[in-house]
Amino acid sequence: MGSNRTIYSEFQGAGSKLGLEIWCVESLQLVPVPQSSHGKFFSGSAYVVLHTALLKSGALQHDIHYWLGKDANEVDSSLASDKTLELDAALGSKSVQYKEVQGQETGKFLSYFKPCIIPVEGVYSSGQVGLKGPAYETKLLTCKGDRVVHVKEVPFSRSSLNHRDVFILDTSSKIFQFNGCNSSIQERAKGLEVVQYIKEYKHKGNCEVAAIEDGKFVGDAEVGEFWNFFGGYAPIPKDQPVAQPPQTLDVKLFWITLQGKFTQSGSGRLKRSMLESNKCYMLDGDVQIFVWMGSITSITERKTSISAAEDFLRAQEKPVNTQLAVLKEGSETGIFKSYFDDWPLTVEPKLYEEGRGKVAAMFKQTVYDVDELPDEDEKPHIICNGTLKVWRVNNGKLSPVPVVDQRKLYSGDCYTVQYIYSANGREERLFYIWLGNKSSPEDRADAVSLTNVIVGSNKGEPVLARIVENKEPSQFFMIFQTLIMFKGGMGSRYKSCIADNGLDDETYDDKKTALFRIQGTNRDNMQAVQVDQVCRSLNSSYCYILKAEGSVFTWLGNLSTTRDHDLLYGMLDLINPTWQPILIREGSEPDVFWDVLGGKTEYPKEREVKRFIEDPHLFVCTFTKGAGSQSSDLKVKEIFSYTQDELTTEDVLILDCHTEIYVWVGHNSVVKSKQQALSIGLAFLEKDVLGECLSVDTPIYVVTEGHEPPFFTRFFYWDASKANMLGNSFERKLAILKGQTQKLEAPSRNSPSVTPNGMRRPSPTPNGLRRPSPTPNGSRRPSPASNGLTRRQSLDSYTVRSTSPTFSGLDFNPTNNRRFSSPPIHRMITSASSSSPDVRSADNTHVSTSSTAEAEILPSKDSGPKQELVNYPYDRVKVNSKDPVRDIDITKREAYLSDEEFQEKFAMSKRVFYQLPRWKQNKLKMSLYLF
């Protein structure tokens, strides 16, 4: 089959729009399921579900699932499996396919239908959609799962109840949640989400809710009312131990022949060379089975392989929760790759600059000239002119670094950096642990433990970050504004180490030869990094300063920009204002220049390009032993389509942003110190769950519940009121469900008034920003000049050469500017016993039709146009229009659509759209060529 793409009639246009597309097998045909019935599954039917998401790289990601009801017949099930492969072929054979069995669905599948799906007895019929059912029927449901919840109807009998699960009794006028005494708090909280779902979409919001605790049967009217439905109270028998099937680590790889027979190809740790492109294989990983299909195998071979794998599952009597995933060569998941010792680390790069160029080209096609598009990473997410304090680790102690030297870091040392800034009307603290590449293990350990002590002594819950030299996040540089990173060290351990080993002291001084690479984005974010003074340290994309005996050279790479040149001139005076440099352009170097670098050799001359940073992934952590101890065994599980509600107070979660990770610690979790949380972050980096080649030097942030900084909340649609509630996760959700949130609201935090060393903090200026630092003669620093001045004029007004770093005023407009998560899925669900639609907001959360819930919707970051606009048809306002409208606001193309056409294109009203975070708006607009 290989490159052939056969388009089957059922799938014409499939995968071209974001969100869900669902088909069901009916009379041996695949029929589309209308959006109003998405999420309603019949236990006697088989379905094919396609989810399409837009990645930050601009590519579409397709995941295909075939869902088999418990009563679905074998013919329909086989047809759904075959159609899944045909759909994959229609989409270019790049998707991953998952088999979903009723009651054992994967977390990824259930994330499309939050909070749950409740399968309905019977068989799907396209002619019966929307018909009303009989009178309301009382049902008993069981809920299993603390992250994604599997809901199953059980016989309405006392014998169905047990102590380990959560149950929901749904009656015509009241919904009861019965919490087994051995169920977890998280399971009870998830149960309440199902209760709210049933209340809103089966009862139209008109019913009461009651929570019943297992073992409580005296003095509570609601408890008596609950047991009356079962004919009165009677003890529930003790739970029988649940036998856990043994999990072995004996991984096996089988080649599947054209006849569907298995031939073992390997076991244990596998090699990539075991997989051949002209064959199909099955990897038995015990808890998950993979079918891998070579790129040049045919559809027939693939169907045979999947059928053989399903027969294998039945014949081996695998546990019911064993999952089957089907993937094609080139579309392997991180979990699949983890079974191979030598899976290639290099992948085809998704070039950042290439994507930016395409966007710029789009604007130019519509007569708008775009010289340079803004880089979202260049924008700070907190105010960057607060108060900075730096300590150096020295012989087991933290020694304050004089203000005049706070902009200088040495590779042989470790530092603690405290940054105080204003946010949300109060002062916040951010601590960095900076580890030099040549620092000693003892200094590194001391840096972590000593900083942990300082952080623990602070009121509130400061954010703590661990960063390693050359892996600094952009925010770190923005806080310093100007920074010089030298070789060598000033600490006693560095000095002792080089003396004991007979090494030369590389610590910079004015008498030594030194080469500095200049980098940054503007005069408020620039760095000089001392590199090895050899030719291979050069790069045509940068500018350099070479300080040699008797001479100073400035070298301008051929690919450097005028912005880079401005940074070069700005850094000259910061390093030494007395230097009179000799300007050299790449290609015109004198011999003395190469002599200083030890001779001319090859060095990188291609433009450095950024790669796309893919969407973040959220993981929940579990520990087999004490968290943070060396004997603890960290296990992580990914949460798909995550929201703020996943941050439950009993848990520790990790947000993997690829270039940095965040360890979020709930107040009621087992982790009680920032140092423990850092250990968890390091363990996560070592595991590299997604197979993305994470470095153990990747920055780690530790964030505490209720004290989340803007650079963390930007990854969520954030509701601050949820982050400031007391009680466990069950109590919080119950209060929200009953409209009693005020009982659990935490008191507002007061800003700390004392610094870690006991000194009183200087009072803020009226606008909440830090007062300018005094110069040595006591005068205040003048504001920086514009870049339009000459080098000397600009530097004289910008730089104070022997005092603290310049913290200039900043025109700061923080925005929730995340552009990562998959687009929202807008769906309407008709319940089994009611024709009332399940109306969900565009981020797939519940939107009540009651006035109370209406008032609770968060205000939009962008409330849309402030005035009435002329309506134009979609074909004239889209970016690639052949007949574009002139003189419109190109940032608000969607606003010119009529209400009717807007609803048709976005599947939501303008009002709902403008309540989404800006990044979600932009993703939807991008998918419709309106961005």
Side-chain angles (χ1 to χ4, degrees):
M1 177 229 158
S3 60
N4 296 330
R5 294 183 60 184
T6 305
I7 307 299
Y8 301 89
S9 59
E10 299 100 330
F11 305 124
Q12 286 286 354
S16 60
K17 61 181 181 180
L18 305 181
L20 287 174
E21 296 173 75
I22 303 178
W23 298 263
C24 184
V25 178
E26 182 181 11
S27 302
L28 299 182
Q29 299 290 325
L30 206 60
V31 298
V33 176
Q35 189 178 36
S36 59
S37 294
H38 285 188
K40 180 180 178 182
F41 292 88
F42 287 85
S43 60
S45 296
Y47 295 78
V48 174
V49 177
L50 169 64
H51 179 256
T52 302
L54 180 67
L55 301 178
K56 190 182 177 185
S57 64
L60 293 177
Q61 175 179 289
H62 302 294
D63 289 295
I64 307 175
H65 308 255
Y66 60 104
W67 185 90
L68 309 179
K70 63 181 179 64
D71 300 322
N73 62 54
E74 188 173 340
V75 174
D76 285 356
S77 299
S78 297
L79 182 60
S81 174
D82 291 345
K83 290 297 182 182
T84 297
L85 274 178
E86 294 175 10
L87 174 57
D88 174 56
L91 295 172
S93 298
K94 295 180 179 179
S95 65
V96 179
Q97 300 125 61
Y98 303 87
K99 179 182 179 181
E100 309 287 349
V101 178
Q102 181 178 341
Q104 301 298 329
E105 294 88 354
T106 62
K108 179 184 280 288
F109 180 80
L110 290 178
S111 72
Y112 308 146
F113 308 101
K114 289 184 176 180
C116 65
I117 61 172
I118 305 178
V120 180
E121 293 295 325
V123 178
Y124 174 82
S125 175
S126 53
Q128 295 181 0
V129 175
L131 296 181
K132 282 193 174 184
Y136 203 91
E137 179 184 356
T138 298
K139 293 183 177 181
L140 182 64
L141 308 170
T142 180
C143 302
K144 296 177 181 287
D146 56 3
R147 285 295 158 188
V148 291
V149 58
H150 294 86
V151 181
K152 176 183 178 182
E153 184 177 353
V154 295
F156 180 22
S157 167
R158 182 190 291 109
S159 61
S160 297
L161 301 175
N162 60 51
H163 297 293
R164 63 178 172 270
D165 292 324
V166 172
F167 294 85
I168 295 173
L169 179 62
D170 179 19
T171 74
S172 59
S173 60
K174 199 167 191 175
I175 306 174
F176 299 86
Q177 176 168 316
F178 176 83
N179 300 318
C181 59
N182 294 327
S183 62
S184 70
I185 292 174
Q186 295 95 320
E187 288 174 314
R188 299 177 188 187
K190 278 294 175 185
L192 284 178
E193 292 182 13
V194 180
V195 168
Q196 183 178 12
Y197 170 77
I198 295 172
K199 175 183 177 181
E200 296 296 333
Y201 310 118
K202 292 187 67 176
H203 296 268
K204 300 180 182 179
N206 298 319
C207 73
E208 296 182 48
V209 172
I212 309 300
E213 296 300 321
D214 185 8
K216 182 179 180 181
F217 53 91
V218 179
D220 191 321
E222 290 182 331
V223 173
E225 187 180 357
F226 171 80
W227 286 112
N228 284 341
F229 282 97
F230 296 92
Y233 172 78
I236 299 174
K238 184 178 179 180
D239 289 340
Q240 296 298 316
V242 178
Q244 295 292 336
Q247 293 188 2
T248 63
L249 298 177
D250 187 17
V251 177
K252 296 179 181 178
L253 181 68
F254 298 91
W255 165 47
I256 307 176
T257 68
L258 295 176
Q259 295 74 36
K261 305 298 182 182
F262 293 96
T263 301
Q264 185 166 333
S265 302
S267 61
R269 299 304 301 174
L270 307 175
K271 301 292 184 183
R272 173 62 180 86
S273 58
M274 296 176 178
L275 302 175
E276 299 180 33
S277 298
N278 61 345
K279 294 179 181 179
C280 293
Y281 297 83
M282 185 188 76
L283 191 155
D284 180 6
D286 287 321
V287 295
Q288 187 163 14
I289 302 293
F290 296 91
V291 174
W292 184 89
M293 306 175 301
S295 59
I296 55 175
T297 53
S298 67
I299 280 283
T300 302
E301 290 176 273
R302 297 176 184 184
K303 288 181 178 180
T304 300
S305 299
I306 294 175
S307 178
E310 291 176 337
D311 290 342
F312 175 85
L313 280 172
R314 288 188 288 268
Q316 296 294 317
E317 297 182 349
K318 289 280 187 177
V320 292
N321 62 343
T322 303
Q323 297 169 352
L324 173 63
V326 181
L327 28 83
K328 180 178 173 290
E329 182 177 4
S331 301
E332 297 86 356
T333 63
I335 295 176
F336 179 82
K337 295 176 184 177
S338 68
Y339 290 101
F340 295 80
D341 278 337
D342 60 344
W343 197 275
L345 302 181
T346 55
V347 294
E348 184 178 351
K350 298 175 181 177
L351 299 184
Y352 178 76
E353 294 298 336
E354 179 184 341
R356 285 159 60 91
K358 289 180 180 178
V359 175
M362 280 186 178
F363 279 98
K364 288 183 179 179
Q365 288 175 3
T366 56
V367 197
Y368 296 103
D369 192 14
V370 180
D371 293 328
E372 185 175 351
L373 295 173
D375 189 331
E376 67 180 40
D377 290 333
E378 294 178 4
K379 298 180 179 179
H381 299 283
I382 59 175
I383 291 175
C384 292
N385 55 356
T387 304
L388 191 68
K389 185 168 185 178
V390 182
W391 293 265
R392 180 185 294 111
V393 176
N394 192 23
N395 221 14
K397 298 179 180 179
L398 289 181
S399 302
V401 176
V403 172
V404 67
D405 293 324
Q406 282 190 161
R407 290 174 296 173
K408 302 174 183 178
L409 303 180
Y410 290 83
S411 292
D413 295 330
C414 296
Y415 296 84
T416 294
V417 178
Q418 175 190 258
Y419 179 65
I420 303 174
Y421 63 100
S422 177
N424 301 319
R426 60 176 178 253
E427 287 187 350
E428 300 287 0
R429 276 185 167 81
L430 169 59
F431 283 87
Y432 285 102
I433 302 169
W434 187 87
L435 308 177
N437 280 335
K438 298 294 183 67
S439 59
S440 67
E442 295 82 3
D443 275 352
R444 292 188 171 212
D446 286 345
V448 173
S449 59
L450 293 172
T451 306
N452 186 62
V453 172
I454 290 184
V455 171
S457 67
N458 270 257
K459 296 179 181 179
E461 290 287 351
V463 176
L464 175 63
R466 172 194 178 272
I467 58 176
V468 179
E469 184 182 4
N470 295 330
K471 288 285 186 178
E472 295 88 354
S474 58
Q475 180 173 270
F476 179 79
F477 290 140
M478 291 179 188
I479 287 172
F480 273 90
Q481 299 195 351
T482 55
L483 183 64
I484 307 172
M485 291 188 283
F486 292 106
K487 287 178 170 292
M490 305 296 288
S492 58
R493 283 189 176 131
Y494 172 79
K495 301 296 185 184
S496 298
C497 178
I498 61 173
D500 293 343
N501 292 280
L503 302 175
D504 292 333
D505 188 349
E506 294 183 304
T507 306
Y508 174 80
D509 61 48
D510 287 339
K511 299 179 181 179
K512 292 184 178 179
T513 300
L515 178 65
F516 296 91
R517 183 181 70 242
I518 309 304
Q519 61 188 36
T521 58
N522 54 59
R523 288 290 187 99
D524 286 332
N525 176 17
M526 57 182 184
Q527 304 86 43
V529 182
Q530 187 179 357
V531 295
D532 294 337
Q533 55 255 21
V534 292
C535 185
R536 64 175 180 273
S537 295
L538 298 176
N539 186 304
S540 298
S541 296
Y542 292 96
C543 296
Y544 292 79
I545 298 172
L546 175 61
K547 189 266 178 186
E549 185 176 350
S551 302
V552 176
F553 300 94
T554 54
W555 186 84
L556 309 183
N558 284 336
L559 298 178
S560 61
T561 65
T562 54
R563 182 185 70 178
D564 298 323
H565 304 164
D566 184 60
L567 298 180
L568 171 67
Y569 301 141
M571 290 303 300
L572 274 170
D573 275 6
L574 289 176
I575 297 176
N576 191 323
T578 65
W579 285 350
Q580 296 298 322
I582 301 170
L583 177 64
I584 299 175
R585 292 189 177 273
E586 182 178 4
S588 60
E589 300 88 352
D591 291 341
V592 65
F593 177 85
W594 298 119
D595 291 342
V596 174
L597 296 181
K600 184 177 181 180
T601 59
E602 289 299 315
Y603 59 88
K605 297 181 180 180
E606 295 78 23
R607 182 176 297 279
E608 285 198 345
V609 292
K610 294 184 179 180
R611 299 184 179 184
F612 281 108
I613 303 301
E614 298 294 358
D615 295 13
H617 295 258
L618 185 66
F619 298 86
V620 62
C621 303
T622 56
F623 313 95
T624 56
K625 296 180 182 180
S629 67
Q630 293 183 351
S631 60
S632 65
D633 183 12
L634 171 67
K635 295 184 178 180
V636 295
K637 184 176 182 180
E638 184 168 4
I639 301 172
F640 299 96
S641 303
Y642 62 83
T643 66
Q644 181 186 353
D645 289 336
E646 313 299 344
L647 304 176
T648 46
T649 185
E650 296 80 18
D651 291 314
V652 176
L653 295 101
I654 293 177
L655 185 66
D656 178 4
C657 301
H658 309 289
T659 56
E660 58 193 16
I661 69 169
Y662 295 84
V663 181
W664 182 91
V665 181
H667 279 313
N668 296 319
S669 71
V670 297
V671 174
K672 300 305 178 185
S673 76
K674 298 286 196 297
Q675 191 166 349
Q676 285 180 312
L678 284 178
S679 299
I680 292 168
L682 281 170
F684 176 83
L685 293 176
E686 291 170 355
K687 280 182 174 289
D688 194 14
V689 178
L690 297 177
E692 54 188 330
C693 308
L694 281 177
S695 167
V696 292
D697 293 340
T698 299
I700 303 172
Y701 288 88
V702 177
V703 176
T704 306
E705 179 187 6
H707 300 260
E708 295 86 354
F711 51 89
F712 174 80
T713 59
R714 67 191 172 106
F715 296 107
F716 299 83
Y717 183 17
W718 196 258
D719 180 353
S721 64
K722 291 182 179 179
N724 288 301
M725 293 184 69
L726 302 174
N728 60 42
S729 54
F730 171 73
E731 293 167 340
R732 296 179 188 185
K733 289 189 176 178
L734 184 60
I736 293 173
L737 188 58
K738 291 191 172 187
Q740 300 172 346
T741 54
Q742 69 279 3
K743 294 183 178 180
L744 295 181
E745 287 179 356
S748 59
R749 297 189 282 131
N750 294 322
S751 299
S753 58
V754 179
T755 58
N757 60 3
M759 300 295 291
R760 184 171 298 277
R761 182 180 305 106
S763 59
T765 57
N767 61 0
L769 304 182
R770 185 181 74 107
R771 299 181 186 277
S773 300
T775 59
N777 61 7
S779 62
R780 292 289 172 183
R781 184 189 324 283
S783 300
S786 67
N787 290 346
L789 301 178
T790 64
R791 176 196 164 201
R792 180 56 54 195
Q793 289 172 321
S794 178
L795 290 174
D796 285 347
S797 60
Y798 175 78
T799 308
V800 175
R801 302 184 181 97
S802 59
T803 173
S804 62
T806 302
F807 293 105
S808 61
L810 177 65
D811 181 13
F812 182 75
N813 181 23
T815 59
N816 188 358
N817 196 31
R818 180 169 83 93
R819 300 180 184 173
F820 299 118
S821 67
S822 300
I825 304 165
H826 185 70
R827 71 182 180 117
M828 300 178 69
I829 300 176
T830 304
S831 64
S833 57
S834 171
S835 60
S836 62
D838 173 1
V839 183
R840 298 182 177 230
S841 70
D843 64 347
N844 208 29
T845 55
H846 304 306
V847 178
S848 172
T849 56
S850 67
S851 59
T852 302
E854 197 78 29
E856 290 178 354
I857 295 177
L858 289 175
S860 172
K861 298 284 183 184
D862 177 10
S863 57
K866 307 301 182 186
Q867 59 186 12
E868 194 75 20
L869 298 177
V870 178
N871 290 150
Y872 294 104
Y874 168 75
D875 288 337
R876 295 199 64 196
V877 297
K878 63 182 181 179
V879 172
N880 56 352
S881 173
K882 296 180 180 178
D883 181 24
V885 181
R886 307 296 179 185
D887 300 323
I888 63 172
D889 183 350
I890 62 172
T891 66
K892 294 285 185 188
R893 293 177 184 273
E894 77 289 347
Y896 294 92
L897 299 177
S898 66
D899 291 343
E900 295 76 14
E901 192 166 22
F902 191 100
Q903 180 73 41
E904 175 190 344
K905 296 296 182 182
F906 286 90
M908 69 184 73
S909 67
K910 288 183 180 179
R911 176 181 172 278
V912 173
F913 175 80
Y914 286 119
Q915 287 168 348
L916 298 176
R918 182 70 62 83
W919 64 267
K920 282 195 175 182
Q921 294 179 21
N922 290 343
K923 276 200 126 180
L924 288 173
K925 286 160 64 174
M926 188 184 298
S927 69
L928 294 169
Y929 300 99
L930 293 172
F931 179 79

